[in-house]
Amino acid sequence: MADRARHAALYVRVSTDAQREEGYSIDAQSEMLVAYCVSRGIRQYELYVDGGFSGSHIDRPEMTRLIADIRLRKISHVVVYKLDRLSRSQKDTLYLIEDVLLPNGVSFVSLNENMDTATPIGRAMLGIMSAFAQLERETIRERTRMGMKERVKSGLWPGGGKIPFGYDYDASRGILVPNRDADTVRLMYELYLRGWSMMAIARYTGLKYERLAEQILRRKTNAGYIVYNGETYRGQHEAIVSEETYEATMRKMAERARGNLGQAKCLLAGLIYCGVCGAKMRYQKWGKAGYKIYCYSQDKGKPHLSHGGPCRNGKMWADELEQTVIEDLFSMSSKRLENESEDEHRGDARELFEKQMDRLSRKLKNLYHLYGDSGDQALTETIEDTKRDLEAVKERLLAYEAENQSSQARQVALTELNNAEKAWDYMTQAEKQNVLRSMIERIVVTYDRVEVYYKLLTDAGKDAIMEP
């Protein structure tokens, strides 16, 4: 395998409003970046384009790919049209430069600011420009927030986002206006106060999920208010239901919640899947005896969660399944924590790989000198073999570093699990659920067979096969 040459990464970002507000497009930026490469004699380059993404964060598809390529040592330069194309956050910009680009030998070039981090002056300018970009963004945000708050205090809808079910937005007046779905909202309150369940209301009104019914009923907007940043203001819009009806509904919800405290015992809710049809499994109250676990494909009331009709998987007592999973989870903590600690003392192979790479690099350099002096074609085969050996060592180093990071993550997870085991009897139900969700990917139940898939505790994921 030939040694892979690095290429320049031309990064382009345009937010949803950038073309209108800033006057340049993806094509325009791309042309300028390519022209820069041509003028500098850079022949190998690749475009990374994030269209329609904000610069307030770096969680963007092409930015993620770019960071991965940098860490794989594929990139020599990162070139942007303007500094804020990379990020509008000073923290993110400095992270990308100091923790991603520079440690991997990558230079950063911004055409608009005439900046090149290959020079000390360029790095100093970068810090200054990033600080001002962050200040400008935060100033605009603060002014917008203050203006929006004043707007809401006057009773006008803040605009943007999703319009509440039952209303339309009248942009000319700045208020919500009840639409034809308002009658459905009124009916939902009436049915709930009559004693109907959320699931029954959702089915009757054509909503896909019972959770949507609850969200609609909890919106104080329906009673003529606007809730903004945790504060409640009287709105200018027409209320769909009276304030008395809304408050009565909230009291009814609180009463039902107190009556359903037993649901907090469902430690594994959301983690259990059917091994027969693949659907999720749920808890079901089984008289005074407790709860059983059964497949959603057996629940005619929730067809959207079914995976193709009646399922033949059996029911299992919830407390038995929970106990089996918890025992298996804690059985691995002390033993594997000890094993992980032993692995740490096996020595760091990175130094060995780096020495091999250094030796092969020096050998390759000498071979090139010999070939240049003698022109002996017999050396070309040796050169190609050496390049393949060097590439193989680089790939083993990358694999080692990935495994080392995975091992460190397992070490942290096992330490947290060991601590949780000691405090388990003193934890609340919610705290126990958080521990289980942080450690377990999913639990697959196939008749009496249970398979537990862990997140970071094992190399292969699936670690336990049990028959409770």
Side-chain angles (χ1 to χ4, degrees):
M1 182 185 298
D3 192 18
R4 291 175 297 184
R6 290 189 174 195
H7 62 265
L10 313 184
Y11 182 75
V12 175
R13 180 186 65 80
V14 174
S15 65
T16 52
D17 297 324
Q19 293 188 22
R20 182 180 72 253
E21 295 177 357
E22 300 173 17
Y24 52 87
S25 64
I26 289 177
D27 291 340
Q29 290 183 66
S30 301
E31 289 175 4
M32 287 184 282
L33 299 182
V34 170
Y36 169 84
C37 289
V38 173
S39 67
R40 295 300 176 95
I42 301 174
R43 296 183 178 180
Q44 294 185 337
Y45 54 83
E46 182 177 348
L47 282 165
Y48 296 74
V49 180
D50 277 319
F53 286 90
S54 169
S56 61
H57 57 81
I58 58 174
D59 185 16
R60 311 169 217 142
E62 286 295 88
M63 175 59 74
T64 300
R65 184 169 75 91
L66 174 60
I67 293 173
D69 286 350
I70 289 171
R71 287 174 172 159
L72 290 173
R73 302 279 179 165
K74 294 181 179 180
I75 308 298
S76 59
H77 298 69
V78 171
V79 187
V80 298
Y81 167 69
K82 193 176 180 183
L83 180 62
D84 63 8
R85 298 302 88 197
L86 190 70
S87 175
R88 290 185 180 271
S89 164
Q90 179 186 13
K91 179 181 177 181
D92 287 341
T93 300
L94 294 179
Y95 161 75
L96 290 171
I97 300 298
E98 299 292 340
D99 296 338
V100 179
L101 274 65
L102 296 183
N104 290 285
V106 178
S107 297
F108 173 69
V109 178
S110 175
L111 304 186
N112 190 72
E113 287 83 9
N114 194 22
M115 182 186 305
D116 187 344
T117 61
T119 66
I121 294 178
R123 287 193 290 273
M125 285 182 60
L126 175 68
I128 296 172
M129 296 299 297
S130 296
F132 277 104
Q134 176 82 352
L135 176 62
E136 178 184 11
R137 179 171 172 267
E138 291 182 352
T139 300
I140 294 173
R141 180 191 296 172
E142 183 63 25
R143 289 174 179 171
T144 302
R145 185 184 295 114
M146 292 176 62
M148 192 66 70
K149 185 174 181 179
E150 291 301 315
R151 175 184 175 86
V152 174
K153 285 174 67 175
S154 68
L156 299 177
W157 185 250
K162 189 175 181 180
I163 305 302
F165 181 77
Y167 283 102
D168 290 325
Y169 177 57
D170 185 343
S172 63
R173 298 163 60 196
I175 64 172
L176 298 174
V177 179
N179 59 25
R180 61 183 181 181
D181 292 321
D183 289 336
T184 301
V185 175
R186 294 187 189 96
L187 177 61
M188 291 171 66
Y189 281 96
E190 181 182 346
L191 295 176
Y192 189 81
L193 291 175
R194 285 187 197 171
W196 284 41
S197 69
M198 290 294 183
M199 184 170 65
I201 293 173
R203 282 207 305 262
Y204 187 79
T205 57
L207 298 174
K208 190 172 183 180
Y209 305 111
E210 59 187 276
R211 180 65 176 164
L212 294 178
E214 181 180 350
Q215 290 174 350
I216 292 171
L217 292 178
R218 286 190 179 278
R219 287 182 188 139
K220 203 165 185 179
T221 306
N222 298 327
Y225 289 88
I226 299 174
V227 179
Y228 181 75
N229 283 347
E231 299 287 338
T232 302
Y233 305 92
R234 170 68 72 175
Q236 293 187 23
H237 63 276
E238 178 185 344
I240 293 177
V241 296
S242 67
E243 191 170 346
E244 291 75 19
T245 297
Y246 177 82
E247 294 298 336
T249 303
M250 295 303 101
R251 288 193 298 270
K252 191 77 170 179
M253 283 189 182
E255 292 171 5
R256 289 190 181 182
R258 287 193 294 270
N260 290 331
L261 287 178
Q263 292 294 330
K265 297 180 180 179
C266 305
L267 287 177
L268 304 177
L271 295 174
I272 314 170
Y273 291 80
C274 176
V276 176
C277 72
K280 280 193 171 185
M281 302 186 77
R282 64 165 293 179
Y283 281 72
Q284 182 184 42
K285 183 69 174 174
W286 206 259
K288 295 182 180 180
Y291 289 88
K292 278 196 172 184
I293 304 293
Y294 78 102
C295 179
Y296 266 115
S297 293
Q298 299 169 354
D299 187 347
K300 296 180 180 179
K302 297 193 176 182
H304 58 285
L305 295 176
S306 173
H307 278 208
C311 177
R312 295 185 178 182
N313 204 354
K315 293 180 172 66
M316 178 180 293
W317 284 108
D319 57 349
E320 293 180 4
L321 176 62
E322 291 173 353
Q323 187 63 27
T324 301
V325 172
I326 292 169
E327 287 178 358
D328 182 78
L329 178 65
F330 288 145
S331 70
M332 70 173 66
S333 62
S334 57
K335 182 178 179 181
R336 294 210 171 148
L337 188 58
E338 181 180 345
N339 292 340
E340 290 285 336
S341 299
E342 290 177 356
D343 290 343
E344 285 187 346
H345 294 91
R346 291 182 303 182
D348 190 349
R350 183 183 292 101
E351 184 177 353
L352 175 61
F353 287 127
E354 290 175 347
K355 285 182 178 179
Q356 291 177 339
M357 290 170 58
D358 182 62
R359 178 179 59 80
L360 290 169
S361 296
R362 284 186 280 108
K363 178 181 177 181
L364 189 61
K365 184 177 180 180
N366 291 333
L367 287 170
Y368 278 128
H369 279 303
L370 289 173
Y371 180 78
D373 292 338
S374 65
D376 187 356
Q377 294 297 320
L379 291 172
T380 58
E381 184 176 347
T382 305
I383 290 173
E384 290 302 318
D385 289 342
T386 305
K387 288 165 66 176
R388 282 193 291 270
D389 291 342
L390 180 59
E391 185 66 24
V393 174
K394 288 181 179 179
E395 291 178 355
R396 289 200 295 273
L397 175 59
L398 289 174
Y400 168 79
E401 290 178 338
E403 171 58 28
N404 194 41
Q405 291 177 354
S406 178
S407 178
Q408 292 175 359
R410 285 197 301 272
Q411 178 78 11
V412 172
L414 286 167
T415 301
E416 292 177 353
L417 179 59
N418 198 38
N419 294 334
E421 182 179 9
K422 297 174 184 177
W424 189 258
D425 293 336
Y426 306 98
M427 287 184 177
T428 65
Q429 292 295 102
E431 289 171 337
K432 291 179 179 179
Q433 285 180 325
N434 288 336
V435 170
L436 294 171
R437 281 160 176 72
S438 67
M439 299 293 173
I440 297 174
E441 183 71 36
R442 68 187 185 280
I443 302 163
V444 179
V445 177
T446 310
Y447 303 110
D448 290 332
R449 181 185 177 91
V450 178
E451 298 171 280
V452 182
Y453 292 76
Y454 294 107
K455 291 183 177 178
L456 293 171
L457 302 180
T458 65
D459 293 321
K462 183 173 70 176
D463 185 72
I465 300 177
M466 302 162 287
E467 293 184 2

